[in-house]
PDB file of all heavy atoms in Angstrom:
ATOM      1  N   CYS A 549     -84.250 -45.448 -32.402  1.00 49.00           N
ATOM      2  CA  CYS A 549     -83.629 -44.282 -33.041  1.00 49.00           C
ATOM      3  C   CYS A 549     -84.211 -42.994 -32.481  1.00 49.00           C
ATOM      4  O   CYS A 549     -83.511 -42.001 -32.293  1.00 49.00           O
ATOM      5  CB  CYS A 549     -83.844 -44.359 -34.561  1.00 49.00           C
ATOM      6  SG  CYS A 549     -82.831 -45.642 -35.322  1.00 49.00           S
ATOM      7  N   GLN A 567     -70.287 -26.495 -20.662  1.00 38.00           N
ATOM      8  CA  GLN A 567     -69.196 -25.699 -21.205  1.00 38.00           C
ATOM      9  C   GLN A 567     -69.292 -24.256 -20.713  1.00 38.00           C
ATOM     10  O   GLN A 567     -68.315 -23.631 -20.369  1.00 38.00           O
ATOM     11  CB  GLN A 567     -69.243 -25.728 -22.738  1.00 38.00           C
ATOM     12  CG  GLN A 567     -68.642 -26.978 -23.337  1.00 38.00           C
ATOM     13  CD  GLN A 567     -68.469 -26.867 -24.824  1.00 38.00           C
ATOM     14  OE1 GLN A 567     -69.168 -26.079 -25.471  1.00 38.00           O
ATOM     15  NE2 GLN A 567     -67.581 -27.660 -25.396  1.00 38.00           N
ATOM     16  N   ARG A 589     -86.409   0.387   4.756  1.00 34.00           N
ATOM     17  CA  ARG A 589     -86.973   1.712   4.947  1.00 34.00           C
ATOM     18  C   ARG A 589     -87.225   1.945   6.431  1.00 34.00           C
ATOM     19  O   ARG A 589     -87.943   1.202   7.063  1.00 34.00           O
ATOM     20  CB  ARG A 589     -88.302   1.822   4.193  1.00 34.00           C
ATOM     21  CG  ARG A 589     -88.147   1.791   2.702  1.00 34.00           C
ATOM     22  CD  ARG A 589     -87.818   3.145   2.162  1.00 34.00           C
ATOM     23  NE  ARG A 589     -87.537   3.123   0.732  1.00 34.00           N
ATOM     24  CZ  ARG A 589     -87.180   4.176   0.035  1.00 34.00           C
ATOM     25  NH1 ARG A 589     -87.073   5.330   0.626  1.00 34.00           N
ATOM     26  NH2 ARG A 589     -86.934   4.100  -1.251  1.00 34.00           N
ATOM     27  N   ARG A 660     -70.676  43.828  10.101  1.00 94.00           N
ATOM     28  CA  ARG A 660     -72.019  43.271  10.097  1.00 94.00           C
ATOM     29  C   ARG A 660     -72.279  42.537  11.412  1.00 94.00           C
ATOM     30  O   ARG A 660     -71.408  41.838  11.911  1.00 94.00           O
ATOM     31  CB  ARG A 660     -72.212  42.294   8.935  1.00 94.00           C
ATOM     32  CG  ARG A 660     -72.207  42.929   7.551  1.00 94.00           C
ATOM     33  CD  ARG A 660     -70.821  43.112   6.989  1.00 94.00           C
ATOM     34  NE  ARG A 660     -70.129  41.837   6.802  1.00 94.00           N
ATOM     35  CZ  ARG A 660     -68.823  41.747   6.521  1.00 94.00           C
ATOM     36  NH1 ARG A 660     -68.082  42.831   6.424  1.00 94.00           N
ATOM     37  NH2 ARG A 660     -68.262  40.551   6.352  1.00 94.00           N
ATOM     38  N   TYR A 662     -75.226  39.977  13.339  1.00 97.00           N
ATOM     39  CA  TYR A 662     -76.399  39.137  13.194  1.00 97.00           C
ATOM     40  C   TYR A 662     -76.821  38.719  14.591  1.00 97.00           C
ATOM     41  O   TYR A 662     -76.056  38.091  15.317  1.00 97.00           O
ATOM     42  CB  TYR A 662     -76.087  37.908  12.324  1.00 97.00           C
ATOM     43  CG  TYR A 662     -75.451  38.298  11.016  1.00 97.00           C
ATOM     44  CD1 TYR A 662     -74.076  38.171  10.819  1.00 97.00           C
ATOM     45  CD2 TYR A 662     -76.220  38.835   9.982  1.00 97.00           C
ATOM     46  CE1 TYR A 662     -73.486  38.564   9.634  1.00 97.00           C
ATOM     47  CE2 TYR A 662     -75.629  39.229   8.792  1.00 97.00           C
ATOM     48  CZ  TYR A 662     -74.265  39.101   8.630  1.00 97.00           C
ATOM     49  OH  TYR A 662     -73.687  39.505   7.450  1.00 97.00           O
ATOM     50  N   ARG A 710     -56.672  25.788  16.468  1.00 96.00           N
ATOM     51  CA  ARG A 710     -56.340  25.937  15.056  1.00 96.00           C
ATOM     52  C   ARG A 710     -57.414  25.222  14.226  1.00 96.00           C
ATOM     53  O   ARG A 710     -57.782  24.086  14.516  1.00 96.00           O
ATOM     54  CB  ARG A 710     -54.970  25.347  14.785  1.00 96.00           C
ATOM     55  CG  ARG A 710     -54.537  25.506  13.352  1.00 96.00           C
ATOM     56  CD  ARG A 710     -53.182  24.881  13.126  1.00 96.00           C
ATOM     57  NE  ARG A 710     -53.055  24.463  11.752  1.00 96.00           N
ATOM     58  CZ  ARG A 710     -52.010  23.856  11.244  1.00 96.00           C
ATOM     59  NH1 ARG A 710     -50.978  23.587  12.034  1.00 96.00           N
ATOM     60  NH2 ARG A 710     -51.970  23.511   9.980  1.00 96.00           N
ATOM     61  N   GLU A 729     -62.685  34.584  15.836  1.00 97.00           N
ATOM     62  CA  GLU A 729     -62.133  33.661  14.852  1.00 97.00           C
ATOM     63  C   GLU A 729     -61.574  34.453  13.680  1.00 97.00           C
ATOM     64  O   GLU A 729     -62.170  35.437  13.237  1.00 97.00           O
ATOM     65  CB  GLU A 729     -63.204  32.695  14.353  1.00 97.00           C
ATOM     66  CG  GLU A 729     -62.683  31.676  13.350  1.00 97.00           C
ATOM     67  CD  GLU A 729     -63.681  30.576  13.039  1.00 97.00           C
ATOM     68  OE1 GLU A 729     -64.851  30.710  13.436  1.00 97.00           O
ATOM     69  OE2 GLU A 729     -63.276  29.569  12.414  1.00 97.00           O
ATOM     70  N   ASP A 733     -56.719  33.594   3.688  1.00 86.00           N
ATOM     71  CA  ASP A 733     -56.667  33.041   2.330  1.00 86.00           C
ATOM     72  C   ASP A 733     -55.655  31.912   2.233  1.00 86.00           C
ATOM     73  O   ASP A 733     -55.815  31.000   1.422  1.00 86.00           O
ATOM     74  CB  ASP A 733     -56.323  34.144   1.328  1.00 86.00           C
ATOM     75  CG  ASP A 733     -57.430  35.183   1.235  1.00 86.00           C
ATOM     76  OD1 ASP A 733     -58.563  34.864   1.621  1.00 86.00           O
ATOM     77  OD2 ASP A 733     -57.142  36.314   0.774  1.00 86.00           O
TER      78      ASP A 733
ATOM     79  N   CYS B 890     -78.545 -46.005 -36.261  1.00 46.00           N
ATOM     80  CA  CYS B 890     -79.877 -45.924 -36.863  1.00 46.00           C
ATOM     81  C   CYS B 890     -79.808 -45.825 -38.367  1.00 46.00           C
ATOM     82  O   CYS B 890     -80.774 -46.092 -39.063  1.00 46.00           O
ATOM     83  CB  CYS B 890     -80.623 -44.732 -36.280  1.00 46.00           C
ATOM     84  SG  CYS B 890     -81.088 -44.979 -34.559  1.00 46.00           S
ATOM     85  N   VAL B 900     -71.832 -26.438 -30.599  1.00 44.00           N
ATOM     86  CA  VAL B 900     -71.845 -25.665 -29.358  1.00 44.00           C
ATOM     87  C   VAL B 900     -71.353 -24.262 -29.679  1.00 44.00           C
ATOM     88  O   VAL B 900     -70.277 -24.091 -30.239  1.00 44.00           O
ATOM     89  CB  VAL B 900     -70.936 -26.340 -28.311  1.00 44.00           C
ATOM     90  CG1 VAL B 900     -70.870 -25.483 -27.052  1.00 44.00           C
ATOM     91  CG2 VAL B 900     -71.465 -27.747 -27.995  1.00 44.00           C
ATOM     92  N   SER B1025     -56.729  21.579  15.873  1.00 96.00           N
ATOM     93  CA  SER B1025     -57.198  21.384  17.248  1.00 96.00           C
ATOM     94  C   SER B1025     -58.553  20.693  17.264  1.00 96.00           C
ATOM     95  O   SER B1025     -59.415  20.963  16.421  1.00 96.00           O
ATOM     96  CB  SER B1025     -57.329  22.738  17.948  1.00 96.00           C
ATOM     97  OG  SER B1025     -56.168  23.504  17.815  1.00 96.00           O
ATOM     98  N   THR B1061     -73.370  33.465   8.372  1.00 98.00           N
ATOM     99  CA  THR B1061     -72.705  34.481   9.179  1.00 98.00           C
ATOM    100  C   THR B1061     -71.259  34.713   8.771  1.00 98.00           C
ATOM    101  O   THR B1061     -70.631  35.672   9.217  1.00 98.00           O
ATOM    102  CB  THR B1061     -72.743  34.097  10.661  1.00 98.00           C
ATOM    103  OG1 THR B1061     -72.296  32.738  10.806  1.00 98.00           O
ATOM    104  CG2 THR B1061     -74.151  34.219  11.237  1.00 98.00           C
ATOM    105  N   SER B1065     -62.353  32.070   2.377  1.00 93.00           N
ATOM    106  CA  SER B1065     -61.801  31.781   1.051  1.00 93.00           C
ATOM    107  C   SER B1065     -62.356  30.475   0.502  1.00 93.00           C
ATOM    108  O   SER B1065     -62.542  30.338  -0.712  1.00 93.00           O
ATOM    109  CB  SER B1065     -60.282  31.684   1.121  1.00 93.00           C
ATOM    110  OG  SER B1065     -59.720  32.936   1.414  1.00 93.00           O
ATOM    111  N   GLU B1094     -73.018  36.377   2.550  1.00 97.00           N
ATOM    112  CA  GLU B1094     -73.062  36.576   3.983  1.00 97.00           C
ATOM    113  C   GLU B1094     -74.310  37.386   4.331  1.00 97.00           C
ATOM    114  O   GLU B1094     -74.630  38.359   3.644  1.00 97.00           O
ATOM    115  CB  GLU B1094     -71.823  37.310   4.477  1.00 97.00           C
ATOM    116  CG  GLU B1094     -71.748  37.332   5.992  1.00 97.00           C
ATOM    117  CD  GLU B1094     -70.799  38.391   6.514  1.00 97.00           C
ATOM    118  OE1 GLU B1094     -69.589  38.246   6.285  1.00 97.00           O
ATOM    119  OE2 GLU B1094     -71.287  39.363   7.127  1.00 97.00           O
ATOM    120  N   ARG B1125     -70.272  22.868  14.941  1.00 98.00           N
ATOM    121  CA  ARG B1125     -69.570  23.478  16.068  1.00 98.00           C
ATOM    122  C   ARG B1125     -70.586  24.104  17.012  1.00 98.00           C
ATOM    123  O   ARG B1125     -71.692  24.497  16.589  1.00 98.00           O
ATOM    124  CB  ARG B1125     -68.585  24.554  15.598  1.00 98.00           C
ATOM    125  CG  ARG B1125     -67.690  24.129  14.451  1.00 98.00           C
ATOM    126  CD  ARG B1125     -66.514  25.043  14.211  1.00 98.00           C
ATOM    127  NE  ARG B1125     -66.876  26.430  14.017  1.00 98.00           N
ATOM    128  CZ  ARG B1125     -66.003  27.375  13.677  1.00 98.00           C
ATOM    129  NH1 ARG B1125     -64.727  27.067  13.488  1.00 98.00           N
ATOM    130  NH2 ARG B1125     -66.398  28.625  13.519  1.00 98.00           N
ATOM    131  N   LEU B1158     -83.692   9.328   2.844  1.00 96.00           N
ATOM    132  CA  LEU B1158     -84.060   8.127   2.094  1.00 96.00           C
ATOM    133  C   LEU B1158     -85.519   7.759   2.328  1.00 96.00           C
ATOM    134  O   LEU B1158     -86.164   7.150   1.460  1.00 96.00           O
ATOM    135  CB  LEU B1158     -83.141   6.972   2.494  1.00 96.00           C
ATOM    136  CG  LEU B1158     -81.658   7.134   2.119  1.00 96.00           C
ATOM    137  CD1 LEU B1158     -80.843   5.978   2.655  1.00 96.00           C
ATOM    138  CD2 LEU B1158     -81.485   7.243   0.612  1.00 96.00           C
TER     139      LEU B1158
END
Side-chain angles (χ1 to χ4, degrees):
Chain A
C549 288
Q567 279 191 336
R589 292 276 175 182
R660 292 85 62 191
Y662 308 102
R710 182 181 153 182
E729 182 170 11
D733 294 340
Chain B
C890 290
V900 176
S1025 309
T1061 49
S1065 292
E1094 189 198 293
R1125 312 194 305 186
L1158 294 176

